Amino acid sequence: MEEESPPLQSDLPSPNPASSIDATLQKKHQAMLDRLSNRHQSRQKTATTSTTIDSTASFLSTFTESKRSIESQLKNSPNTPDPTLLKSHLANISSSISSLEKLVAESSYFLPSYELRSSLKCIENLKQSLENLNSQILPKKKFSFKNKSTSKPSPGNSNTNPIPPNPYHIPQSIRDSPGIRNKENQTLSKNFKNFKEIGEFTLSDLDSCEVRLIGCINALFVNRLRNCRVYTGPVIGSILLEEVENCVFVLASHQIRIHYAKSCDFYLRVRSRPIIEDCGGVRFAPYCLSYVGIEEDLTKAGLEEEKENWGNVDDFKWLRAVKSPNWSVLEESERIGCVEIEDSGSTEAEMEIEGV
C-alpha cells in the first residue's frame, strides 16, 4: 500500500488578507458601539438628574405658596365672638396643614435631605402656631384621658405606669382625632373598610395591648405605647410615632417618622426613607402583614410596590459619615414572619374606640 506523501508547502492555504481586514473592522465597530452605549447611559443619567432637579423645584414652588397661604390664614383670623365660625376657621387651617404634610410625604422620596428636613421643620412650626392660635381665640378645655377600665392590676404586676414624658421633648399638640386611648392588656381591632374616609387616627397611652387596624386611613399618630404589638393596613399620608418602648410595629405609609423610641422592632413598607430622632435599639425589617383585601388597600394608598426603603433609615440626630449605632437591620432568624389578621367583628373593645 503506497503511503500518501505530505502536502507541499505550496498546497497549504495561504492567509486571507480579507479575513484580517474583517477582524480589524469588527473591532472598530465594537469600539464604536461601546462608545455609543456609554454616551447613551451618560445622557440617561443627566436626564434623570435634570428630572429630579425639576421635581424639587416644582415642589419648593408649591410648598412655598401653600405655606404663605397658611401663614396668611393664621394671621387674619376672623374678629368674631362666634365659636362656630372660629372653629370652622381653625379646621380649615388644620386641613391646609394636613394637605401640605401629605405633599411632603408624597415628594420625600426624591427630595434632597436638607429640603426634606427644612420642610418638616416648617410644618412643625405651622402646627405649633395653629395650637397657639387655638388657645388664644377659643376657651381652653382641660384635657384628660378617660379610664374606662375598672379592673385592678394584679399584685405581681406593678409595672403599669405609662411611659414618663421626656423632659426635653416638646410634644405634638394633643390630637382630637378618632382613636384608641388609655387601654391596658387588651386586643383592639378596627375595620375601616366600611367607612368612606378616615382622616387622622390616634393610638395613645396603651400598655401591653395588641392593635389590629384593617383598611386605609389618611394619617396615623402613635404616642406613649409600651409592650404593644401594632398591625396596621396602609396609611395614605404619614405616620408619626413618639415615646414608644418595647413594641412591635407592622406599618405601611408614604412617610414614617419615629421620635423617642426605645427597643422597638419596625416592619415597614414606606415610599421614602424612614426618619428616626432620639431613638435607641430600634430594628427594621420589611412589611409582613396579610389580610383579605390588603392588596387593593396597598394599591389605593399607592404602596403596591416594595421600594426596599425599610432599611434606608435616616437618623436626624446622627450627623457623622459612619452609620448610626441607634438602629440596625433585624436579622432574618429573629423576624416574626408573615402576620395574618382578620376582622373579628364588633367586640366590646372595638365599640369603645373614641370618635368612630
Side-chain angles (χ1 to χ4, degrees):
M1 190 174 210
E2 296 182 0
E3 295 183 359
E4 295 183 2
S5 58
L8 299 176
Q9 186 69 26
S10 59
D11 296 332
L12 294 175
S14 59
N16 188 352
S19 176
S20 300
I21 295 175
D22 289 343
T24 302
L25 290 176
Q26 187 175 4
K27 290 181 180 179
K28 290 183 178 180
H29 180 68
Q30 185 60 46
M32 181 184 67
L33 292 177
D34 291 341
R35 288 196 299 272
L36 290 175
S37 177
N38 293 335
R39 186 182 303 173
H40 177 67
Q41 292 178 5
S42 176
R43 288 176 177 175
Q44 281 188 323
K45 185 176 181 180
T46 302
T48 301
T49 303
S50 178
T51 301
T52 301
I53 293 174
D54 291 343
S55 299
T56 302
S58 176
F59 164 81
L60 291 175
S61 176
T62 304
F63 183 90
T64 301
E65 183 178 351
S66 299
K67 172 177 171 289
R68 288 174 179 170
S69 175
I70 294 171
E71 289 173 338
S72 177
Q73 293 179 71
L74 288 167
K75 185 178 180 180
N76 301 311
S77 299
N79 187 15
T80 174
D82 187 348
T84 302
L85 292 177
L86 293 175
K87 288 181 180 179
S88 176
H89 178 69
L90 294 174
N92 288 336
I93 298 176
S94 178
S95 177
S96 298
I97 294 176
S98 296
S99 297
L100 190 60
E101 191 171 24
K102 183 179 179 181
L103 172 67
V104 175
E106 293 175 343
S107 307
S108 57
Y109 72 97
F110 65 78
L111 286 177
S113 179
Y114 171 78
E115 300 295 353
L116 178 58
R117 294 187 190 190
S118 177
S119 300
L120 293 173
K121 181 63 177 176
C122 177
I123 289 175
E124 288 184 3
N125 292 339
L126 291 174
K127 288 180 178 179
Q128 186 62 51
S129 297
L130 176 59
E131 184 179 358
N132 294 339
L133 179 63
N134 182 62
S135 62
Q136 290 173 7
I137 67 177
L138 286 178
K140 191 172 183 180
K141 295 181 180 180
K142 186 177 180 181
F143 183 87
S144 64
F145 290 112
K146 296 179 181 178
N147 188 357
K148 298 181 181 179
S149 175
T150 58
S151 61
K152 295 181 180 180
S154 59
N157 183 15
S158 59
N159 188 21
T160 58
N161 294 325
I163 301 171
N166 189 304
Y168 303 103
H169 172 47
I170 301 175
Q172 294 285 330
S173 59
I174 295 173
R175 307 287 177 180
D176 294 327
S177 61
I180 305 173
R181 299 174 173 88
N182 205 34
K183 304 289 183 184
E184 182 180 341
N185 295 314
Q186 295 188 39
T187 297
L188 305 146
S189 64
K190 188 65 185 177
N191 191 334
F192 297 106
K193 287 182 173 292
N194 297 326
F195 295 86
K196 290 184 178 179
E197 181 178 353
I198 294 294
E200 300 176 352
F201 197 81
T202 298
L203 303 176
S204 180
D205 282 75
L206 306 180
D207 190 351
S208 303
C209 292
E210 180 172 311
V211 181
R212 306 168 184 172
L213 304 181
I214 296 176
C216 291
I217 55 178
N218 287 341
L220 177 65
F221 302 102
V222 180
N223 182 243
R224 294 165 64 88
L225 268 61
R226 172 183 283 172
N227 304 321
C228 292
R229 289 176 173 262
V230 178
Y231 311 117
T232 76
V235 176
I236 296 174
S238 61
I239 298 176
L240 173 62
L241 302 98
E242 293 187 316
E243 296 184 52
V244 294
E245 180 179 353
N246 195 31
C247 295
V248 174
F249 295 96
V250 183
L251 310 169
S253 179
H254 280 257
Q255 182 189 72
I256 297 176
R257 300 180 65 194
I258 306 166
H259 299 170
Y260 298 99
K262 179 181 178 182
S263 302
C264 292
D265 291 342
F266 295 90
Y267 296 79
L268 306 181
R269 176 175 294 189
V270 58
R271 184 79 183 271
S272 59
R273 297 166 67 100
I275 296 170
I276 65 172
E277 294 184 75
D278 299 293
C279 296
V282 292
R283 305 186 298 179
F284 293 85
Y287 192 61
C288 58
L289 188 66
S290 175
Y291 60 78
V292 176
I294 190 173
E295 295 301 331
E296 291 83 355
D297 289 342
L298 288 168
T299 300
K300 177 182 177 182
L303 296 166
E304 66 275 15
E305 185 180 352
E306 173 59 75
K307 297 289 186 178
E308 303 291 340
N309 279 324
W310 58 266
N312 297 323
V313 180
D314 279 336
D315 187 347
F316 275 13
K317 290 299 180 70
W318 184 260
L319 304 179
R320 301 180 186 178
V322 297
K323 178 184 172 299
S324 165
N326 299 318
W327 71 274
S328 62
V329 172
L330 186 57
E331 296 291 338
E332 291 189 21
S333 59
E334 299 182 55
R335 296 177 188 176
I336 58 178
C338 182
V339 178
E340 295 188 11
I341 61 175
E342 60 182 14
D343 183 12
S344 57
S346 296
T347 63
E348 180 181 355
E350 182 180 357
M351 296 302 292
E352 292 180 356
I353 292 176
E354 301 173 10
V356 179

